[in-house]
Amino acid sequence: MSRSGDSTTSSRWLEAYCERTAGLKALRTTAALADVSGDGYGCFVAADDNTETAAGGRMRVYRGTTANDIWLPDSPTALIAFYTDRVEPRIPAIAVACGSVLYIYKNNKPFFKFSVPSLPITTKETASWQAFLQDGPAKGDESTLVEALSAVQYNLLSTIGQEVISEPSKIDTVLKSRGITEITKETFYCESPIACMTTLKKSTNDRYDVCCPVLATESGNIFILDPVNFSVLYQANVNRIKSTPFLIAGLGIFNVQYRMMIACREKHVSLLRKDWLEGKTVIQTMNAISDLIITPDDGLIVIGTIDKILHCYTKKGHKLWAIKMAHLVTCLCLIPIRHLSITLTAVGLKNGTIQIYHGRKCVDQTSVPGSPSVIRFGQLGQEENALITVTTEGTVIFRILKRTAEFQLNTTENLPLYQSKPLPLPKRSALFLEQSMREQQTALDMHQSFQQDLIKFRLDAARELIKTEFAGSNTANLKEKIKISAQVLGMGPKFEVIFNLDNMEESKPIYGLKMVLHVNPKYYQCSSNLISIPLIPPGSSHKVKVYVEDKMVDPENNLNIPSVVRVFIIRETTSEPVLAALINMPPMEATLADPGKA
Amino acid sequence: MVFVLVTIETRLYRHECYACFWFTANVPEFGTMGIFQKLVQFLGVRKREVNVLVVGLNNSGKSTVVNRFKNQDERVTEIVPTVGFAVERFQNQNLAFTAFDMSGHGRYRDLWEHYYKDCNGIIFVIDSSDRLRLVVVKEELDLLLQHPDICNRRLPILFFANKMDCKEALSSVKIAAALGLDKIMDKPWHISASNALTGEGLQEGVEWMTQQIRDIILAKGS
């Protein structure tokens, strides 16, 4: 029996049961593991709306491999299992949220029903409706009504108000269909379906302790219920801004301290702590969130987003790491393995892969047929470490972790990033203290001398620049190692300009060059504007002779004309000139310029 | 070897280890016995003592099975989950059995392998109504058969497909097929459906076991 060999070569999971024809369309929120009958035999409970007959839903209880269906009056949105009391035998309650009603079952039998309290509408909304309805039904000014309703916070609006806001054009049909003529408590109320649920331990952190159910409604209200009589113990808002919760995870103890993370459809995660009346946004994501979990030991928040990224944040919302996954993250699940005393995270991917992470390190991988829609881990039957997966196609898969399975964990690698490397700060030496003291005492002098030096340095730099600008007519290209020099001969109006091209390269000849002369045609005329330069061997030079004639357009203002000739050495293949030079033409002698007058 | 074992367990189960110690002191040293003594034993003049290991997953009925083998007046009325292991003694056809009733709980299954060396036979109890964990049974059986103290020995293995009265119970044939018992070539094995609550099927199984152990000892002795 080689343990390490077992865990590396073959799978760590035993395939216990796979039902491809289960047709279970369970969601992330509608599945739980519970000891339904209180006999220590773990059952898998899932709810879906996949009914062959009429509208409604069903709750399926897997006891071992045999399934048992219980019909629900409406489509379920969330399911939780929790202990309501300490009476022996310990039978947990299964609570299923259908619309705004919570149905509680015990031992597969209906036990209790709880309705989310409907809130009265705000005075602002009442006033706006009164203004609209005073002239009789559907005769008031629609635009002013919509405007007035928009001023009210969306999740505080009545159900009718919300409908009107979302579709202002259908205001008549909305009112007519309900026969609304005046404001009554029965017609105008603020009600919202339960979007997601979680449980919160009431007084101790024991695994079998009594838990309070926590409901989050579509309108952004959080209700914490008493597990015994199902009255509202605490009520809060998800956030100040409009938020539609769809996932909630809690950590802590209701009577001591707790924190709840609520993922909202508005791409943010709100934090709600004990005694807070409204939550606070701690995480803002770029893309929609697909699933969220909190690790129990350090309170880290792990989030999968639809851009195939798995994020991890601290409990205060600081980002620790993010991993780009190969496929879309569909669901997450905590895997607490007690005998190894570790908590892993299962990440279900769209292509049917389930990756198991310890921190940011992938320690195991397994796959299921189809994309997993919900993963649960816990006690199933007599087996403590069972992994249950339901795929979007409705396949139910039970897997059991091998007793001998080990996960190669390297603890040092899994430390959060910000702790792993301390900043290399030097110690404060005596010299450092001395210098800082001196800096404090003579701060003004030091600043002035520094400024003086800086100005001097700038002046020097400017001087050097001017020097190079005006120094000589010789221009050289350092890259190509070619130099041009010009000589102007003659008195005018016809000048002879001799260019001397030097190849300063030691071994390479220069070829394929052309010379372009650029002059203002109004004043000057060249004998030729484009001259091809033959190959210049390394170390030698080539002379080009050009005649430039002054046209003598305006002899009186001779000095004013721009007397320059621009020379460009170009290569045909490139647009930038290899070399450019400027030649200042000498002013013409007036006597020579106009011999006729003289 | 048994002494080493006892020291291992002392730390965990102090109250159990005394029983174990006391018992081991009574085990005859086969190796040092003369041929005459052996002959005497096999003729039934003196009772032979053999060790059997009772293993299986938790809640499969190991303690209940062992309880059934005991005399009427020694039986306990209520069976509780075994912690660690328990030592029980019973007789069958002039053979004194000492059964090591191991705990089947996941965290105690590590203890099983310490007893493989000294046992003359293995009783593997299976909950035939627990279809979900049949894979776990197979995994544990494979680990047992691959263990160096087992794999090269000709040990008789008796399987009890227990809880045959349950309505979702699998037949012994199906369990044998699911566990791949037909692949066990080098060891004699036998599977019998049983109901440890009534004692049904137990006698048949233990008689087979007695016969097998007798044969093996005779073969060794000759």
Side-chain angles (χ1 to χ4, degrees), chain B residues 97-112:
Chain B
F97 280 90
T98 304
F100 287 84
D101 179 13
M102 306 303 297
S103 171
H105 202 281
R107 59 173 166 267
Y108 295 120
R109 283 181 216 158
D110 284 336
L111 299 179
W112 296 2

Side-chain angles (χ1 to χ4, degrees), chain A residues 57-73:
Chain A
R58 67 168 174 192
M59 180 168 82
R60 179 169 275 199
V61 180
Y62 275 94
R63 190 182 165 83
T65 56
T66 51
N68 185 15
D69 282 356
I70 295 164
W71 301 109
L72 298 170

Side-chain angles (χ1 to χ4, degrees), chain A residues 19-32 44-62 67-80 94-99 103 105 373-374 390-396:
Chain A
E19 191 183 350
R20 280 174 187 269
T21 53
L24 193 66
K25 305 280 180 193
L27 306 170
R28 275 166 311 209
T29 50
T30 62
F44 176 60
V45 188
D48 68 350
D49 53 0
N50 188 11
T51 50
E52 290 82 10
T53 55
R58 67 168 174 192
M59 180 168 82
R60 179 169 275 199
V61 180
Y62 275 94
N68 185 15
D69 282 356
I70 295 164
W71 301 109
L72 298 170
D74 205 350
S75 296
T77 53
L79 184 147
I80 48 169
I94 312 288
V96 191
C98 298
Y103 296 96
Y105 291 82
S373 63
V374 55
V390 181
T391 67
T392 45
E393 292 81 13
T395 311
V396 176

Side-chain angles (χ1 to χ4, degrees), chain B residues 156-168:
Chain B
I157 305 175
L158 169 62
F159 295 93
F160 277 127
N162 203 18
K163 307 194 187 181
M164 60 185 265
D165 54 314
C166 283
K167 70 169 190 277
E168 62 264 48

Side-chain angles (χ1 to χ4, degrees), chain B residues 13-168:
Chain B
Y13 318 106
R14 200 170 288 271
H15 61 288
E16 306 256 30
C17 79
Y18 294 116
C20 188
F21 186 84
W22 171 81
F23 155 72
T24 44
N26 284 309
V27 171
E29 300 281 327
F30 301 122
T32 57
M33 269 194 291
I35 226 156
F36 174 73
Q37 277 172 299
K38 281 184 184 173
L39 203 68
V40 165
Q41 276 179 356
F42 299 143
L43 293 174
V45 179
R46 203 178 137 193
K47 263 186 272 170
R48 261 309 295 270
E49 295 203 18
V50 290
N51 300 340
V52 289
L53 198 62
V54 186
V55 293
L57 302 189
N58 50 328
N59 201 38
S60 57
K62 296 173 294 300
S63 300
T64 318
V65 166
V66 174
N67 195 43
R68 269 280 149 192
F69 290 145
K70 292 195 287 190
N71 289 331
Q72 194 80 44
D73 50 333
E74 288 172 358
R75 285 181 196 165
V76 289
T77 48
E78 198 161 326
I79 308 283
V80 292
T82 311
V83 175
F85 69 101
V87 181
E88 303 286 354
R89 311 174 85 206
F90 62 90
Q91 287 187 20
N92 189 277
Q93 297 174 6
N94 226 2
L95 210 56
F97 280 90
T98 304
F100 287 84
D101 179 13
M102 306 303 297
S103 171
H105 202 281
R107 59 173 166 267
Y108 295 120
R109 283 181 216 158
D110 284 336
L111 299 179
W112 296 2
E113 62 187 47
H114 298 295
Y115 298 81
Y116 291 165
K117 209 166 194 168
D118 294 298
C119 68
N120 303 98
I122 290 170
I123 298 176
F124 204 113
V125 185
I126 301 151
D127 179 354
S128 51
S129 66
D130 194 357
R131 291 165 189 238
L132 199 65
R133 290 206 297 169
L134 215 53
V135 276
V136 186
V137 174
K138 180 160 170 53
E139 169 77 8
E140 293 297 343
L141 179 65
D142 289 346
L143 287 175
L144 184 144
L145 292 173
Q146 285 160 19
H147 194 272
D149 287 344
I150 301 256
C151 64
N152 296 319
R153 286 169 68 196
R154 200 179 141 76
L155 266 182
I157 305 175
L158 169 62
F159 295 93
F160 277 127
N162 203 18
K163 307 194 187 181
M164 60 185 265
D165 54 314
C166 283
K167 70 169 190 277
E168 62 264 48

